[in-house]
Amino acid sequence: MIVFDVDDTMYDLMWPFYKAYEQVLADRTTAGCEELFLRSRINADIVLEKEKQGLIKPEDAFYQRMKMTCEDVGVSIAREECEAFEKEYRYFQTRIELFDFMKEILDCCREKQISIAFLTNGNRRDQGKKISVLHLEQWFEENKMFISGEIGYHKPDVRAFQTIQERLAIQPAEAWYIGDSYENDVLGAYNAGWHTIWLNHRRRKCPDLKCLAEIEVKSGADLLCLFKNYFGQVK
């Protein structure tokens, strides 16, 4: 069983953020888009957990995330500016597309009848829209699409991975997880006893002295090559 992350693994998560950054924040800070993007992903996880605990209302989540992100680089953002940013961001999220290499990988899985699923952090409202825009139902069965907000546990919580094991009736040694986030994807799956592939296409420095990913690839092309040579041999 191969389980995929979605955000920034299947498509370019930074592209909608970059388009909104150009319109709203580019002339407000010397911080580059990628720096803000990476900080926003960290803050998104913090806000998601607070939202789960009822400490932040769903309608305030994006504002809190961007407020924290801007404060990280010494910039204040008004609610109105955040709303303008979110409007642009949401608009371009409706135009996201799968990475070309990911289309090939998913087509290979379908052709070879390789069992696949995905696990993504977020709520059904936002992640459901992405699932629709990316047409993931072409490759994934409904009962193999897992959203953290629905199952009750967010990556890197091992219980998110264990929930999938239980629902799909698989053992940890039978599961591979492919994702771009070292903290959420690699560590979460590793601690659950799964095999891990780190798609480190943002070329981030590993926060651990020794990388715990079983395999690390630095580009989508490398992942596609690995996939065809390893998993693509399955009949």
Side-chain angles (χ1 to χ4, degrees):
M1 171 64 69
I2 301 173
V3 185
F4 296 87
D5 170 50
V6 175
D7 292 327
D8 221 32
T9 295
M10 291 192 179
Y11 72 98
D12 187 353
L13 180 64
M14 192 170 80
W15 180 73
F17 190 94
Y18 173 73
K19 301 300 285 187
Y21 167 86
E22 278 189 315
Q23 294 295 320
V24 181
L25 289 176
D27 61 351
R28 294 278 317 280
T29 176
T30 57
C33 179
E34 186 163 0
E35 178 185 357
L36 284 172
F37 168 71
L38 293 175
R39 288 178 182 273
S40 77
R41 293 201 68 189
I42 294 171
N43 290 326
D45 290 333
I46 295 172
V47 169
L48 185 63
E49 184 59 33
K50 289 184 177 180
E51 184 180 350
K52 176 185 173 183
Q53 296 172 7
L55 300 176
I56 292 178
K57 296 179 181 179
E59 59 268 27
D60 293 332
F62 193 87
Y63 170 65
Q64 292 298 329
R65 167 185 172 183
M66 288 306 301
K67 181 174 179 288
M68 292 164 63
T69 298
C70 289
E71 287 175 348
D72 285 346
V73 295
V75 174
S76 61
I77 185 169
R79 187 81 184 220
E80 294 76 16
E81 291 175 305
C82 184
E83 289 173 355
F85 187 100
E86 183 174 12
K87 182 179 179 180
E88 293 291 324
Y89 180 69
R90 299 299 183 197
Y91 171 79
F92 285 103
Q93 274 193 325
T94 65
R95 281 152 176 74
I96 56 175
E97 297 180 354
L98 284 175
F99 287 127
D100 288 339
F101 70 82
M102 187 56 64
K103 288 181 182 177
E104 289 195 54
I105 288 173
L106 295 178
D107 283 343
C108 179
C109 289
R110 182 165 54 193
E111 176 187 347
K112 299 292 184 179
Q113 297 185 325
I114 300 171
S115 296
I116 59 174
F118 68 70
L119 168 62
T120 179
N121 274 357
N123 57 53
R124 164 55 70 172
R125 180 196 61 203
D126 294 334
Q127 298 308 91
K129 291 177 182 177
K130 296 173 188 176
I131 291 169
S132 178
V133 171
L134 295 171
H135 304 293
L136 295 184
E137 68 280 355
Q138 292 183 44
W139 298 278
F140 296 91
E141 298 173 25
E142 180 63 32
N143 66 344
K144 294 179 181 176
M145 303 182 189
F146 297 97
I147 300 173
S148 68
E150 291 186 325
I151 65 176
Y153 304 108
H154 303 294
K155 298 179 295 181
D157 192 326
V158 295
R159 291 174 293 182
F161 299 89
Q162 291 168 346
T163 298
I164 292 178
Q165 290 170 205
E166 294 170 3
R167 294 190 184 180
L168 299 182
I170 59 174
Q171 297 299 314
E174 300 173 317
W176 284 85
Y177 195 76
I178 300 174
D180 71 289
S181 169
Y182 184 83
E183 293 83 356
N184 284 346
D185 301 329
V186 174
L187 293 185
Y190 174 86
N191 288 330
W194 291 25
H195 300 288
T196 56
I197 298 176
W198 184 19
L199 175 57
N200 188 17
H201 61 106
R202 300 289 177 196
R203 307 297 177 98
R204 294 181 58 202
K205 181 180 179 181
C206 180
D208 287 333
L209 292 177
K210 179 182 178 181
C211 180
L212 295 178
E214 192 163 333
I215 301 172
E216 178 185 353
V217 293
K218 297 292 183 66
S219 70
D222 288 343
L223 178 62
L224 178 60
C225 182
L226 168 72
F227 198 92
K228 287 184 173 180
N229 290 334
Y230 191 87
F231 300 104
Q233 302 305 312
V234 176
K235 300 295 183 181

